[in-house]
Amino acid sequence: MAIDTHCHLNDERYDDVNEVIASLTSNNITNGVVIGYNMETSISAMKLADENEILYSVIGFHPGNIHEIKDGDMEKLEALAVNKKVVAIGEIGLDYHYEPYDKDAQKRVFIHQLNIAKRTGLPVVIHQRDCGMDLLAILKEHYKELSGIIMHCFSESTEMAEEFIKMGCYISFAGPLTFKNSKSLPDVAKMTPKELILSETDCPYLTPHPHRGKRNEPKYVSLVVEKLAELREVTYEEMEKQIEENAKKVFFKMK
Ligand SMILES: [Zn+2]
């Protein structure tokens, strides 16, 4: 069994979404968390969670989508967050990879959504890319008042990992852990306390080895769990059970 804590089944590449969802249980996926990145995909994530018992949703504006925010969207997001199957605010954060970007606007929207998470008691799913120390600085200011922080598709250095672990952030591993050029990720996987480890696919992106090049699906999360188990020298079952416990604690607690 395995849990995919970060999938985009609401992506247009899943024109066969019903079949993919129907195959989850037979592929030993116990739960999936569908992630939004703007208003439209947040609502479609919620719809999938409403229709499928094993799915949950996460709603919010990705830093690359903040230009789409319309008047009233933040209030609407906060109102939607009370839905029983919305389990976090995300994916939110900072991304200075693709020009042009507006650092100040990204920070403003990020902090606004952190405050929504505080008011609603939900954890946050964090996206970060090429944003240096800015994200760390903001989280240092806010982490004590948040119910949980999930560093999605972690791909930073061991030094950065240490900083996040100190704040009790969950480190979520995805396909890149299985890549041959996975750099510092195996070390991060070994140093993260077991109670802070999560597994995800970030599908349809980042398909794990040996399926690279194919469309990613939640079922491939087992390859990430397998790699985690190998690196940490535990059995697959032990690793999976630990991740399930962690996911239950941060995401699936009853509202
Ligand atoms: Zn994502």
Side-chain angles (χ1 to χ4, degrees):
M1 309 305 272
I3 292 179
D4 186 358
T5 65
H6 193 112
C7 54
H8 297 284
L9 290 174
N10 46 352
D11 189 277
E12 58 188 18
R13 263 158 279 195
Y14 296 106
D15 47 9
D16 55 346
V17 64
N18 290 330
E19 285 106 272
V20 175
I21 292 170
S23 73
L24 291 178
T25 311
S26 55
N27 282 303
N28 293 326
I29 302 300
T30 46
N31 289 108
V33 183
V34 187
I35 314 281
Y37 47 86
N38 58 11
M39 188 52 78
E40 191 192 340
T41 54
S42 292
I43 289 170
S44 55
M46 288 179 69
K47 188 168 178 280
L48 288 175
D50 279 340
E51 293 167 353
N52 298 279
E53 205 188 334
I54 67 169
L55 297 181
Y56 292 83
S57 65
V58 168
I59 62 173
F61 278 88
H62 183 289
N65 296 80
I66 60 170
H67 57 281
E68 298 169 24
I69 299 175
K70 295 193 281 292
D71 272 355
D73 272 358
M74 284 294 129
E75 290 76 12
K76 189 173 173 187
L77 194 71
E78 187 158 352
L80 291 173
V82 302
N83 180 287
K84 267 200 166 55
K85 293 192 84 183
V86 173
V87 291
I89 300 297
E91 53 184 294
I92 62 173
L94 302 176
D95 190 327
Y96 304 161
H97 188 71
Y98 295 109
E99 310 244 19
Y101 47 79
D102 181 341
K103 289 187 181 183
D104 289 331
Q106 285 196 17
K107 288 182 195 172
R108 206 165 47 239
V109 174
F110 179 37
I111 292 168
H112 193 128
Q113 293 183 98
L114 290 176
N115 286 325
I116 290 177
K118 288 182 206 169
R119 288 194 291 270
T120 54
L122 290 173
V124 287
V125 173
I126 303 289
H127 167 97
Q128 64 165 346
R129 193 169 187 194
D130 299 343
C131 51
M133 304 299 272
D134 285 6
L135 186 118
L136 186 63
I138 292 174
L139 282 185
K140 274 187 176 163
E141 245 173 78
H142 294 266
Y143 79 97
K144 285 187 182 139
E145 296 152 80
L146 289 160
S147 73
I149 300 169
I150 297 100
M151 305 306 298
H152 131 68
C153 191
F154 193 80
S155 50
E156 302 291 323
S157 64
T158 49
E159 291 77 17
M160 279 292 247
E162 230 164 83
E163 295 288 335
F164 292 116
I165 290 166
K166 260 190 254 167
M167 292 189 280
C169 301
Y170 289 81
I171 308 289
S172 186
F173 294 91
L177 181 67
T178 69
F179 298 170
K180 288 206 173 69
N181 60 348
S182 54
K183 293 182 201 144
S184 56
L185 276 181
D187 291 329
V188 177
K190 286 183 215 168
M191 68 187 262
T192 303
K194 65 177 196 293
E195 63 277 6
L196 294 179
I197 292 182
L198 291 172
S199 59
E200 61 166 84
T201 59
D202 200 18
C203 66
Y205 317 102
L206 300 168
T207 313
H209 175 80
H211 302 291
R212 280 184 91 172
K214 269 202 235 167
R215 182 185 70 175
N216 200 0
E217 286 185 29
K219 65 181 176 190
Y220 294 136
V221 77
S222 57
L223 295 162
V224 177
V225 179
E226 205 174 276
K227 191 73 196 175
L228 281 167
E230 178 197 316
L231 289 163
R232 297 177 64 88
E233 298 177 19
V234 296
T235 64
Y236 181 92
E237 289 68 30
E238 274 174 279
M239 196 67 245
E240 187 279 322
K241 211 167 156 260
Q242 181 67 51
I243 290 169
E244 190 181 330
E245 220 171 89
N246 299 345
K248 272 189 181 147
K249 200 166 164 202
V250 67
F251 284 123
F252 308 141
K253 47 190 184 296
M254 300 301 282
K255 269 196 180 175

